Amino acid sequence: MSVAERGPAVARTLPPAVSVPARRPSPSPAGAVVVIAPLLLTIASGLWGIRRKNTMWGDESVTYELAHRDLSQIWRTAQHADLVHALYYAVMHEIFGLFGGGLLTLRLPSVLAMSVAASGVGLLGLRLAGPRAGLLAGLVFPLLPQVQKYTQEGRSYAMVCALVAWATYALVVSVPQRARWRWAVYGSTMLLACLLHEFAVLALVAHGVTLAVSRVPRPVLKAWSVTAAGVVAGLLPLAIRSAGQSGQVSWIDGPVRLPGVLAVAAVGVVCAFTPLKARGPVRLSVLAVPIIVLPGLLLLIASLVKPLFVDRYVLYSNIGIALLLGACMDHLHRRQRSSRIAWIATVAVLAALVPPGLSLGLSLRTPESRTNDATAIGAAVRKEGRSGDGLLYLSGQHRILTAADPEDTRLLTDLALAQDPVSSNTLAGVELPAQDIAARMLEFDRIVAVRAARAHTLTTPQEKAKTNTLRRHFREYGTTHVNGARVTVYVRDDN
């Protein structure tokens, strides 16, 4: 007989139910692994061959030289050139002040920034597709060729990539939560990325498309629109002012390294057709594909008016590629009925990919992986020049190629220089009038000339005076070819 059948008197004799406090589930280690494993892998990859045989290329030498100037000098220089990188130079100035201005200090901030980006990619994958997809995406990210290259670059692109990754994570978190402070975090992170490099604003466009396609509630779209407007408003003064310095990208005569970008992006987009897991209002593929496609596409469209496409300007598109590759591998793993078969397939793929990957990794860590080698150029000038020789740059803007080590040119006389870069608050100094350059050249019997390998036709009066005087009064004595330039010794015809 049940308790109910025996009556309420018996039921009253039973002891009352004991109230046991609900226990919170112990935190899963998945989140920590997704953050830490990509971080450590990126640091290891970044430290591997970070010195590149103690060489530095031209853009890094600009960072090195400007970051050693005072903050006031950096600001004054930015009024003439490189305003788009002024914030980065100021950050590096402070880092140099704290840790010294050596080659490792130049590149370590990029290693750390890309490591933070890898953790952000992992968390994005975890949030959108689960722990395994997040872990795989975070581990794939530092192995992508572009990411490996710019992890060891003394420029702003790794920092921009990290900020875009975490801004994207803040966006994904803000969609269901809708808290104002979350949108403030998203907006401030995106604005900081844009102030480090203007083309980060193209990621903002990709985010807007993601939200539109995801059909999020109207209040979410409104919150994003207000935040995006704030980012654009904060960026606008820099964009307007830096537009007057557009001549600095005149060296871009067509898309730079576009085929490689398209090949990697195509692999990522193909993965988007895989039926992936969805764990929220924003689907992983709907987030990743716009980040991969839109920034590069918009730059290519703008290049119809003025060439602007350079692969590193949209480095953050690799965030989307890593997310799709990680989620695709997770999908393939889940489809296997036997985990043993899945692991055998994974090992087979790794066995096929690791040797080419190591070969690529080795090549990216050589001086030849960059378009020039400023260290080799300076060494060639020191080797070919004699004490008292004249020094000539064709053109003058390439003076920065020997600025990293003043000892390379200390014994030579810069024939065209009227005011040095630091005192003139410029990148390459101020040159004399054309007639004065020609007159000074005729005072020397030997001249060492530095000419970039892909130099444009020299059309300014100063450059014409240099080339005409060399042609009429000097003959070539010998030329040393180095990565990105050639160093030629000229002697007077009457010698």
Side-chain angles (χ1 to χ4, degrees), residues 459-476:
T459 57
T460 65
Q462 285 96 334
E463 304 306 335
K464 288 182 178 179
K466 296 173 189 176
T467 55
N468 290 339
T469 305
L470 286 175
R471 184 174 62 253
R472 293 174 182 173
H473 302 283
F474 292 81
R475 59 183 172 85
E476 184 176 326

Side-chain angles (χ1 to χ4, degrees), residues 67-69 89-102 105:
H68 277 89
R69 300 185 188 183
Y89 296 144
V91 171
M92 291 304 298
H93 170 83
E94 296 301 325
I95 291 174
F96 281 0
L98 290 173
F99 303 104
T105 311

Side-chain angles (χ1 to χ4, degrees), residues 119-419:
S119 294
V121 171
L123 281 179
L124 273 169
L126 170 65
R127 180 93 182 185
L128 298 174
R132 187 166 53 206
L135 178 61
L136 290 170
L139 294 177
V140 163
F141 179 75
L143 302 180
L144 295 173
Q146 268 192 309
V147 175
Q148 286 195 60
K149 181 175 181 178
Y150 294 105
T151 297
Q152 298 182 329
E153 193 89 340
R155 299 295 280 174
S156 65
Y157 307 108
M159 294 184 184
V160 173
C161 198
L163 289 167
V164 170
W166 281 93
T168 306
Y169 181 74
L171 174 72
V172 171
V173 172
S174 299
V175 169
Q177 300 293 339
R178 305 186 191 181
R180 289 186 178 181
W181 70 268
R182 293 183 183 276
W183 288 105
V185 170
Y186 166 71
S188 58
T189 307
M190 273 305 307
L191 178 58
L192 185 55
C194 294
L195 293 177
L196 279 172
H197 198 279
E198 291 177 1
F199 289 151
V201 75
L202 300 176
L204 192 68
V205 179
H207 291 163
V209 171
T210 293
L211 294 182
V213 174
S214 300
R215 298 181 181 179
V216 297
R218 189 181 297 272
V220 173
L221 278 177
K222 182 179 179 181
W224 177 86
S225 300
V226 171
T227 306
V231 173
V232 173
L235 176 64
L236 202 57
L238 174 64
I240 294 173
R241 191 70 180 270
S242 63
Q245 301 176 359
S246 59
Q248 283 192 262
V249 293
S250 60
W251 60 271
I252 307 175
D253 52 10
V256 178
R257 289 179 290 275
L258 177 60
V261 175
L262 291 178
V264 178
V267 174
V269 172
V270 166
C271 291
F273 292 96
T274 305
L276 305 176
K277 292 171 64 177
R279 299 186 59 181
V282 178
R283 295 179 63 87
L284 185 142
S285 57
V286 174
L287 176 77
V289 172
I291 291 178
I292 296 172
V293 175
L294 282 179
L297 179 61
L298 292 173
L299 271 188
L300 286 173
I301 293 172
S303 295
L304 297 175
V305 178
K306 180 181 179 61
L308 287 173
F309 185 93
V310 182
D311 62 337
R312 57 183 178 267
Y313 293 170
V314 290
L315 177 66
Y316 51 82
S317 64
N318 286 277
I319 295 168
I321 294 169
L323 286 171
L324 285 172
L325 289 174
C328 186
M329 287 189 288
D330 174 53
H331 170 75
L332 294 176
H333 194 278
R334 284 187 288 107
R335 283 194 63 183
Q336 296 294 334
R337 295 182 179 179
S338 168
S339 60
R340 181 177 299 178
I341 295 176
W343 283 113
I344 292 174
T346 302
V347 172
V349 170
L350 289 175
L353 293 179
V354 166
L358 286 175
S359 177
L360 175 62
L362 287 170
S363 66
L364 288 174
R365 288 158 177 81
T366 63
E368 293 74 24
S369 63
R370 271 57 178 179
T371 54
N372 58 54
D373 184 348
T375 308
I377 295 169
V381 170
R382 177 188 288 197
K383 179 181 178 182
E384 299 298 333
R386 301 175 183 172
S387 179
D389 283 354
L391 177 61
L392 209 60
Y393 294 91
L394 303 167
S395 68
Q397 65 183 357
H398 296 133
R399 189 170 281 107
I400 195 67
L401 293 176
T402 60
D405 188 355
E407 287 298 312
D408 291 333
T409 58
R410 184 175 59 84
L411 299 178
L412 309 182
T413 302
D414 194 331
L415 301 178
L417 190 64
Q419 193 175 6

